[in-house]
Amino acid sequence: MTVISPALEAAPRRAWLADLPVLAVAVVWGGSYLAAKGITTSHTVIAVLVLRFALVLPVLVVAGWSRLRALSGAQLRSAGLLGLVLGGIFLLETYGVVHTSATNAGLIISLTMIFTPLAEATMRRQAPSTGFLGAAALSVAGVVLLTQGAGFTAPSLGDLLILGAALARTLHVLLMARVEAVQDADALSLTTVQLGGAVLVFALLAAVPGTGASPWAAAADFGAAEWAGLAFLSVFCTLFAFFVQMWAVRRTSPSRVSLLLGTEPLWAAVAGIAVGGEHLGPLGYAGAALVLAGTAWGRRAVAPAVQRARRPAAQRAPEHLSGKRRSHG
C-alpha cells in the first residue's frame, strides 16, 4: 500500500485555499456588469465612476503610503499615463453596459484574452500558432452570434463600446509590459497612482457642463439598492479584488490565477441571465458558448509560448546552441 505523506496531502488543499478567493474575484467581476447597469444611466456614468473609485482610493493611499513615497518621478509619470488609459477603459465599459446587456458586456470584454496575444505577436513580428488563430476565429464568430441573439441586426452602440473597451484593455496590458519605468514598481503603489489618475479624469469630466449629473447630485438620488450596488463595485470589485490578486500570486502561480480569473465572462453570463433576467435566444446562447470555448482554447494555445518566454536564459541556452529553430506561437 502506498503511503502518502501529510505534506503531499496538504499541498493540494493549500492550493485550493488560494484558488477559492481568486474564483470569488472572478465571480464578483462577472457580477460587476449587472451591478453597474443597475445603478447607472447614460446621465450618471461619470458621477458613478467618481463615486466608485473615490471611495476606495483613500484606503489604497493609506495602505501603501510608504511605498508610494518611494516611487521615482519617472514611475509616477508612467503610472499616471497608464491611469489615463485605465480611465478610458472604465468610461467605455460603463457607457457600454448602459446600452447593452450585462451578459453581452461580460462576454465581449473577454476578447481581450484574444486581442492581447495577437497584438504581441504583431509587435514581435511573429506568426501566431494555427491553434490560436482558430481560437480567435471561434471567439469572433461567437461575438457575432451573441450580438444577434434577437435576430440578425447591426450590433448595438453598447456592444461597440464594450468592444472598444476590450481593445483599450489590450493597449493597457501592452503598455504595462513595455513601459520600462513601471517594471520594478510596487504593485500596490502602481495601482493606486493609476486609479488616482483615472479619478482625476472622471472628476475633470464631471466638472464640464453637459457631461451629466454631478457626483453629489447622483449620490443624493441614490436609494438603498443603489448604495448597495456602489458598495459592491467599490469594496468587492475593486478593493477586495486587488488585494486578493496580490495575496494569491504569492501563494500560487500567475498562470493559475489567470486561469481562474478567465472564468469572469461565464459568471457575467450567469448573473445576467439568472439574476438580471436577460434573454439571449438560441443564437445568443450559441454565441456565448463559442466565446467561452474560443477564449479557453486561446489561453491554452498561447500558454506554451508564454512559458518559453518566461524560462530563464540558462534553461533556453541548449536549444540555441543546438542550432534548432523553435516555432513561435
Side-chain angles (χ1 to χ4, degrees):
M1 182 177 67
T2 303
V3 178
I4 301 176
S5 71
L8 290 177
E9 286 182 331
R13 190 179 303 116
R14 285 196 298 269
W16 273 108
L17 288 176
D19 287 348
L20 288 176
V22 178
L23 187 60
V25 170
V27 172
V28 299
W29 275 356
S32 68
Y33 302 98
L34 187 62
K37 190 174 182 67
I39 67 171
T40 312
T41 68
S42 58
H43 191 62
T44 61
V45 166
I46 295 173
V48 168
L49 287 172
V50 171
L51 293 170
R52 173 181 175 178
F53 294 106
L55 287 176
V56 299
L57 193 58
V59 178
L60 293 174
V61 170
V62 171
W65 179 244
S66 60
R67 285 171 285 181
L68 271 173
R69 294 178 62 187
L71 291 178
S72 67
Q75 288 173 330
L76 284 170
R77 289 190 296 272
S78 298
L81 172 63
L82 291 169
L84 297 181
V85 179
L86 190 64
I89 293 169
F90 281 113
L91 285 169
L92 287 167
E93 283 185 356
T94 312
Y95 274 114
V97 80
V98 168
H99 297 288
T100 189
S101 67
T103 303
N104 277 24
L107 290 166
I108 294 172
I109 203 70
S110 70
L111 288 179
T112 303
M113 290 181 280
I114 298 296
F115 292 157
T116 303
L118 282 176
E120 285 187 313
T122 301
M123 294 178 69
R124 293 175 180 172
R125 298 183 180 179
Q126 297 174 351
S129 67
T130 303
F132 182 79
L133 291 176
L138 194 66
S139 297
V140 171
V143 167
V144 171
L145 290 178
L146 177 69
T147 58
Q148 311 304 315
F152 285 99
T153 59
S156 70
L157 172 62
D159 295 330
L160 295 176
L161 289 171
I162 297 295
L163 186 61
L167 291 170
R169 277 196 185 191
T170 299
L171 174 62
H172 188 260
V173 171
L174 293 178
L175 288 174
M176 286 280 289
R178 291 183 172 270
V179 176
E180 293 184 4
V182 302
Q183 297 306 307
D184 298 325
D186 171 68
L188 175 60
S189 303
L190 182 60
T191 300
T192 303
V193 175
Q194 287 188 77
L195 288 180
V199 170
L200 180 60
V201 170
F202 304 147
L204 291 174
L205 287 175
V208 176
T211 55
S214 70
W216 329 116
D221 288 338
F222 277 1
E226 287 78 13
W227 279 111
L230 185 65
F232 175 76
L233 290 171
S234 298
V235 177
F236 290 98
C237 299
T238 307
L239 201 59
F240 167 77
F242 173 73
F243 281 110
V244 164
Q245 286 181 84
M246 287 190 64
W247 173 83
V249 167
R250 288 168 170 78
R251 288 162 176 78
T252 183
S253 70
S255 298
R256 196 176 181 99
V257 171
S258 178
L259 182 64
L260 291 166
L261 292 180
T263 63
E264 175 191 347
L266 173 63
W267 301 114
V270 169
I273 295 168
V275 181
E278 297 176 352
H279 302 285
L280 293 179
L283 286 178
Y285 280 110
L290 289 180
V291 171
L292 294 172
T295 51
W297 183 12
R299 286 197 302 273
R300 287 197 299 270
V302 80
V306 173
Q307 290 171 357
R308 285 198 301 270
R310 288 178 176 171
R311 278 192 303 171
Q315 295 181 17
R316 295 196 298 267
E319 295 181 10
H320 293 292
L321 292 175
S322 67
K324 294 180 180 179
R325 179 177 295 176
R326 293 185 291 121
S327 62
H328 296 286

